[in-house]
Amino acid sequence: MHRNDLLSRLRTYRKTWPNEKDTADRLIGFVETHPDCFERSLQVGHITGSAWLVNRAGTHVLLTHHRKLDMWLQLGGHADGNTDIIDAARQEALEESGIRNLTLWNPEIFDLDIHRIPERKNEPAHFHHDVRFVFQCLENEDYIVSEESHDLQWVDIQSLEKFTHEESMLRMKRKWLQLLS
C-alpha cells in the first residue's frame, strides 16, 4: 500500500515521457520488488527525492556543489522512510537550502534517474533511484549553505553547461526549456 502512490506516478511518467520508458520500467520494477525501497538501509539502493528548484522567473535553478560527490547537482537526497516522495524532495530542498517558501510547480514527476553511488567508508556502492519534482521559489530566494554542500548557487538554466556536463542535469534543462516554450 505504501508504494502505490509512487507506482501510480511512475506509470503516468512512463506515458508522459515514452522515450524514458526503460528508466521508468527499471524504477517500477525496483519499487515493486522491494517493500523497503524508501529505506536507506536497503543496501542495493533506495528511493531518493530531488527538487529542480527554479526562481520566480523560471530562468535560474538552485544547484548545490555536493560535498561528498564533489559535483554540481540539483537539491535532493534520501527519502529516509518517507513514502510521500514529494514531501521527501521538499524536505531535502529545505534542509539543503534553508528556503522555506517552496511551491510545488506540478505534482507530476519531472524526471527520473538511476545512478550509482560509489563505495564510501563503511557504505557499499549502491544505486539511488531518484524521483525529481519541480519546485519554485516565489518569494525570498536567499539560501543558506548546509554542511552537505561546498556551495549553493542560482544558475542561469541557459548556461547550465558551465557547471555540469552530467547528462541527467542537461536532460532536466532540456525538459524545463521545452515546458516553458
Side-chain angles (χ1 to χ4, degrees):
M1 293 291 274
H2 67 283
R3 297 173 285 165
N4 288 345
D5 180 63
L6 178 55
L7 287 168
S8 175
R9 289 177 191 283
L10 291 169
R11 290 181 181 114
T12 298
Y13 182 88
R14 183 173 54 191
K15 291 176 189 169
T16 305
W17 302 100
N19 59 326
E20 297 179 42
K21 181 185 179 309
D22 291 345
T23 302
D25 286 345
R26 278 183 62 200
L27 221 145
I28 289 168
F30 175 77
V31 172
E32 288 176 338
T33 304
H34 298 284
D36 54 347
C37 62
F38 296 99
E39 301 294 338
R40 192 186 304 211
S41 58
L42 180 59
Q43 291 199 349
V44 297
H46 29 264
I47 297 295
T48 56
S50 289
W52 177 258
L53 176 55
V54 296
N55 65 347
R56 181 178 309 128
T59 58
H60 289 70
V61 62
L62 187 61
L63 298 183
T64 174
H65 186 193
H66 196 278
R67 186 172 298 277
K68 289 180 183 175
L69 298 176
D70 196 28
M71 301 170 65
W72 285 98
L73 301 168
Q74 78 285 345
L75 305 173
H78 296 98
D80 287 329
N82 188 349
T83 61
D84 181 341
I85 197 60
I86 293 173
D87 183 60
R90 176 184 280 114
Q91 185 61 35
E92 284 295 322
L94 169 63
E95 289 173 8
E96 292 183 2
S97 73
I99 298 175
R100 298 192 174 282
N101 58 329
L102 303 178
T103 301
L104 182 64
W105 191 76
N106 184 327
E108 298 303 326
I109 295 170
F110 175 59
D111 192 63
L112 295 175
D113 193 60
I114 302 170
H115 50 271
R116 185 177 181 277
I117 301 298
E119 180 179 348
R120 185 173 183 278
K121 295 184 181 176
N122 294 332
E123 189 175 68
H126 60 281
F127 287 91
H128 280 181
H129 297 79
D130 200 26
V131 183
R132 300 164 172 180
F133 295 89
V134 175
F135 289 88
Q136 193 166 25
C137 184
L138 297 176
E139 296 175 26
N140 185 348
E141 295 175 359
D142 295 339
Y143 55 79
I144 299 167
V145 179
S146 77
E147 62 187 35
E148 296 182 35
S149 302
H150 290 298
D151 196 8
L152 294 176
Q153 189 168 334
W154 284 106
V155 173
D156 183 336
I157 295 169
Q158 295 283 3
S159 303
L160 189 65
E161 291 85 348
K162 292 180 181 177
F163 288 80
T164 181
H165 293 286
E166 184 71 29
E167 174 51 32
S168 75
M169 296 293 292
L170 300 179
R171 182 178 61 240
M172 287 190 289
K173 171 189 173 175
R174 291 188 300 270
K175 284 181 175 180
W176 181 247
L177 295 176
Q178 177 183 340
L179 289 171
L180 290 183
S181 62

